[in-house]
Amino acid sequence: MGDLAVGARSGTEEPEEPAGRGESARQATSSVHQPQSQSGGSASGLPRTDPSKQSDAAADEEATGSVTKGKKPRAFWKELPILIGIALLLALLIKTFLVQAFSIPSDSMQDTLQRGDRVLVDKLTPWFGSKPQRGEVVVFHDPGGWLNETPTPQPNPVQKVLSFIGLMPSAEEKDLIKRVIAVGGDTVECQGVGPVKVNGKALKEDSYVYPGATPCGDRPFGPIHVPKGRIWVMGDHRDDSLDSRYHQNLPGNGTVSENEVVGRAFTIAWPINRWATLPVPDTFDQPGINKAMGAAPAALGLAGAVPLVIWRRRRLTAARNPR
């Protein structure tokens, strides 16, 4: 009867566990045989989580957090000094090798250039062997004695720094700006009231000479032979320009060495309403002005052709009269 009573209570006949072992067995059974929900979760309805996966996830979060912190961009104020340094370095390189701004201090180039204009000067092409050409407006260093009577303004420290890196035209450098009229090998002259002649060809200068000024101004000159490697320069305002005409008593007889030329002024950059390019006037392209230079290749070609013609005639004569 004792056995029937046990069966009635449990509804299932299982042997009784010995004392002390029943509790541990029930714990093992509950941990292994947990009933599952239809969704595959735990009995409580929450998804089961593997402890090992939990630790891996935590490690991944830590790694991700450290990477995110490492990629955080710098503050702008920390980047600003670097940006300024790079900008100043680029400005210095551009000023040294490419383009430099110059301020017009006088009226000697009117009406082409006005006092206070800012011009940009090409400093790159001279590095590749480019030489000043007739009609170009060029900036050049004082050859010596040209600016003795001209006071040089003294800039403040800020102006000196900005001029050094090219962000401001230099105020203390002794540079001049004039138009190239003749180059090495040319003969240039201006008698009476003009016109100026280069290699015997009269220049038509109405497009750039200051209105009312004569081509010679008050200083006729020449004929002058310009040595190789030098140029003859004149201002467009012939009555207000101390150019090559006024320095014939100095070494070079008023000419300027090509080595003193900084570069060609190619545009007016400031003020905005004065913006314009500075092309070579058409008068310097007229036929005959380069005849002295053009004759040299022709003469060399003729000298080289004569021996070839003689040699060919001898061959033909030998072929007709074999020995």
Side-chain angles (χ1 to χ4, degrees):
M1 293 186 57
D3 292 339
L4 292 174
V6 172
R9 287 194 305 269
S10 63
T12 304
E13 282 294 327
E14 288 184 7
E16 291 185 3
E17 295 291 335
R21 293 179 58 190
E23 183 65 21
S24 61
R26 283 193 296 271
Q27 290 178 354
T29 303
S30 63
S31 62
V32 175
H33 299 289
Q34 286 284 353
Q36 299 294 319
S37 65
Q38 293 181 355
S39 61
S42 64
S44 62
L46 298 176
R48 297 176 58 192
T49 304
D50 191 339
S52 62
K53 292 183 178 179
Q54 285 184 336
S55 61
D56 291 343
D60 289 343
E61 288 180 2
E62 286 186 355
T64 304
S66 63
V67 171
T68 303
K69 291 179 181 179
K71 290 184 177 180
K72 185 178 179 181
R74 291 185 181 181
F76 176 74
W77 64 269
K78 292 182 178 179
E79 298 281 357
L80 187 59
I82 299 176
L83 295 175
I84 293 176
I86 294 174
L88 294 179
L89 178 61
L90 290 175
L92 180 60
L93 291 174
I94 291 172
K95 174 236 180 180
T96 303
F97 300 104
L98 301 179
V99 176
Q100 185 174 358
F102 285 85
S103 178
I104 306 304
S106 69
D107 300 325
S108 67
M109 283 296 292
Q110 287 181 324
D111 269 347
T112 304
L113 300 174
Q114 302 291 342
R115 186 191 295 262
D117 284 351
R118 301 305 199 263
V119 297
L120 297 182
V121 174
D122 169 23
K123 301 178 70 174
L124 177 64
T125 52
W127 288 88
F128 295 93
S130 175
K131 303 295 183 182
Q133 302 297 316
R134 302 182 197 90
E136 293 181 345
V137 177
V138 297
V139 171
F140 57 95
H141 300 310
D142 182 2
W146 285 42
L147 294 175
N148 285 348
E149 300 177 0
T150 304
T152 303
Q154 295 299 321
N156 59 46
V158 175
Q159 290 175 322
K160 286 184 177 181
V161 173
L162 294 178
S163 297
F164 175 74
I165 62 179
L167 297 180
M168 182 177 178
S170 176
E172 60 181 347
E173 290 181 5
K174 292 190 173 183
D175 296 322
L176 301 97
I177 185 166
K178 305 291 180 189
R179 189 180 298 276
V180 179
I181 302 298
V183 297
D186 288 343
T187 298
V188 59
E189 62 179 310
C190 187
Q191 303 296 333
V193 293
V196 175
K197 294 181 179 180
V198 178
N199 298 327
K201 278 289 183 179
L203 298 180
K204 185 175 177 57
E205 301 185 289
D206 298 342
S207 64
Y208 57 88
V209 168
Y210 186 75
T214 60
C216 302
D218 58 354
R219 188 64 63 97
F221 62 91
I224 294 172
H225 180 74
V226 182
K228 292 290 185 181
R230 304 187 73 86
I231 56 176
W232 178 271
V233 297
M234 298 173 71
D236 288 354
H237 195 335
R238 300 289 163 81
D239 296 331
D240 193 13
S241 177
L242 299 178
D243 46 42
S244 291
R245 297 170 294 163
Y246 292 86
H247 300 99
Q248 298 180 56
N249 59 325
L250 297 176
N253 298 322
T255 62
V256 178
S257 171
E258 292 176 350
N259 296 329
E260 299 289 347
V261 176
V262 176
R264 175 190 176 183
F266 63 93
T267 188
I268 303 172
W270 187 264
I272 297 298
N273 63 341
R274 290 272 304 149
W275 186 91
T277 57
L278 299 172
V280 174
D282 293 339
T283 188
F284 291 94
D285 295 328
Q286 61 179 305
I289 199 171
N290 292 315
K291 67 178 182 180
M293 299 181 67
L300 292 174
L302 179 61
V306 169
L308 290 175
V309 171
I310 295 174
W311 173 77
R312 184 172 181 275
R313 288 176 61 86
R314 287 180 177 176
R315 286 195 63 184
L316 291 173
T317 302
R320 290 172 184 172
N321 303 304
R323 294 181 180 179

